[in-house]
Amino acid sequence: MGESAMEDGRVLYLDLMKKVLTNVIYADPAQAADWYDGSGYEPEKRENGLDWPTTAHTMVGLKRLDNLQFCVERVLMDEVPGDFVETGVWRGGASIFTRAVLQAHGITDRTVWLADSFQGMPETTDDSHPVDRYMALHKSNDQLAVSLEQVQANFRAYDLLDEQVRFLEGWFADTLPTAPIERIAVLRLDGDLYDSTMDALESLYPKVSPGGYVIVDDYVIPSCKEAVHDYRTRLAIDDEIVPIDASSAYWRRAA
C-alpha cells in the first residue's frame, strides 16, 4: 500500500472514530441536566460539546476532538517527548480517540493515561469555590459517574484496550502527585471544578514537555478558568490561550 493510500486510510478511520464516539451517526438524544432539558438530538450542540449524550462515549463534541487530533498529531510530527494524560474521562471517549490516533500512526512507545475517580464528581464543601458550590455537579453523579470497568469495556469495544492504556483511579489530590508519569506531550484537563483543575495543574504541568499542549475542556466555567489563571500567574506562564469553541481553550508550552 502506498503512502498516499495509507494517509487516506488514516483520515477515514479517525473521521469515523469521531463520528462514532460522539454518536452523530445514530443521533442519540441528550440526557436531562439542571441546565438542559435533554429533549432530542441537536447537531449543533453535539458538534460543540454542549449536551450530555445518552449513549455516545464522549460529551466533548466534534470540535474538541478535532483539536485533540491536531495536538496529538503535532507533537508526534515535532517529536515532542511524553505521554498523553486526561484528567476526568467520563465514558473514556476522548482518551479512546487519543489511543486511536496513536494506533493510526503506528506509535507503540507512548501511553494514554486516564485519571478519574470513576465514581463521579466530589461533593463541594463550605471551602469550595462559590461557582463550584452553586453548580453542585455531584448532584448529577447518576449521569456523570462511570465505573472503571465500563470505561475499560468501552476501550475494548474499539479493540484499543492494551498495554498503552493505563488508569489512575481515585481523587486527583490522591493519585496525581505520585503518578508514575515521567513526561507529558498532551495534557487534557476535564475536571470542571477549581480544586480539580488546580490539583491536576500542580501535579502534572511541570511534566509537560516544551512544545507540548495543555487543553482545558471547561475553560468556560468561571471556577475552572480562575484556577487556570491563578496557576499561570503564579508561574508567570504567558503562552497564548487559544479558544477551541465557546467552552474550551488550549495553549502550547513554549520551548
Side-chain angles (χ1 to χ4, degrees):
M1 183 182 294
E3 182 60 33
S4 177
M6 290 178 64
E7 178 60 23
D8 289 345
R10 269 195 294 267
V11 170
L12 289 170
Y13 169 63
L14 294 175
D15 283 352
L16 181 59
M17 282 292 295
K18 284 182 278 192
K19 292 175 182 176
V20 173
L21 286 164
T22 57
N23 204 21
V24 301
I25 294 176
Y26 294 105
D28 61 313
Q31 301 179 73
D34 289 342
W35 47 272
Y36 181 64
D37 63 14
S39 59
Y41 167 81
E42 299 181 53
E44 184 176 354
K45 282 187 168 61
R46 192 63 52 90
E47 181 181 7
N48 289 279
L50 296 175
D51 66 358
W52 290 357
T54 303
T55 59
H57 287 151
T58 184
M59 65 169 73
V60 306
L62 289 168
K63 288 184 179 179
R64 282 174 240 172
L65 290 183
D66 286 341
N67 168 260
L68 181 56
Q69 181 178 354
F70 164 78
C71 293
V72 173
E73 291 184 332
R74 184 60 186 265
V75 297
L76 296 179
M77 180 177 66
D78 292 347
E79 298 183 348
V80 176
D83 291 334
F84 304 88
V85 183
E86 184 175 33
T87 59
V89 306
W90 196 46
R91 294 172 180 163
S95 290
I96 290 170
F97 183 67
T98 300
R99 180 66 189 91
V101 176
L102 298 184
Q103 178 85 346
H105 287 273
I107 304 300
T108 60
D109 61 350
R110 302 198 193 222
T111 299
V112 178
W113 296 84
L114 291 83
D116 201 290
S117 69
F118 299 102
Q119 54 184 296
M121 303 295 294
E123 290 192 24
T124 54
T125 68
D126 291 341
D127 295 328
S128 299
H129 192 284
V131 174
D132 295 341
R133 293 201 307 270
Y134 172 76
M135 292 193 304
L137 288 175
H138 62 275
K139 294 181 179 179
S140 297
N141 276 345
D142 285 348
Q143 294 99 338
L144 295 176
V146 182
S147 70
L148 171 61
E149 292 75 19
Q150 183 58 59
V151 175
Q152 290 173 329
N154 294 342
F155 266 88
R156 199 175 291 114
Y158 298 91
D159 293 326
L160 291 173
L161 184 64
D162 59 14
E163 69 281 354
Q164 286 181 248
V165 180
R166 297 188 63 179
F167 300 88
L168 299 167
E169 183 178 10
W171 304 118
F172 297 161
D174 299 327
T175 62
L176 298 183
T178 58
I181 303 169
E182 295 182 5
R183 289 182 293 184
I184 298 171
V186 177
L187 172 60
R188 190 172 194 283
L189 307 175
D190 197 357
D192 295 59
L193 309 178
Y194 182 98
D195 288 342
S196 299
T197 303
M198 185 62 76
D199 288 341
L201 284 168
E202 289 181 337
S203 293
L204 300 178
Y205 186 80
K207 300 181 180 183
V208 175
S209 298
Y213 289 94
V214 178
I215 302 169
V216 187
D217 187 86
D218 305 300
Y219 192 66
V220 70
I221 298 176
S223 50
C224 172
K225 184 175 184 178
E226 184 175 329
V228 169
H229 285 271
D230 285 351
Y231 184 83
R232 283 170 54 98
T233 298
R234 185 172 5 124
L235 272 69
I237 299 168
D238 59 3
D239 303 323
E240 180 186 6
I241 296 177
V242 181
I244 300 169
D245 54 22
S247 302
S248 305
Y250 74 108
W251 75 86
R252 190 174 201 186
R253 184 167 189 177

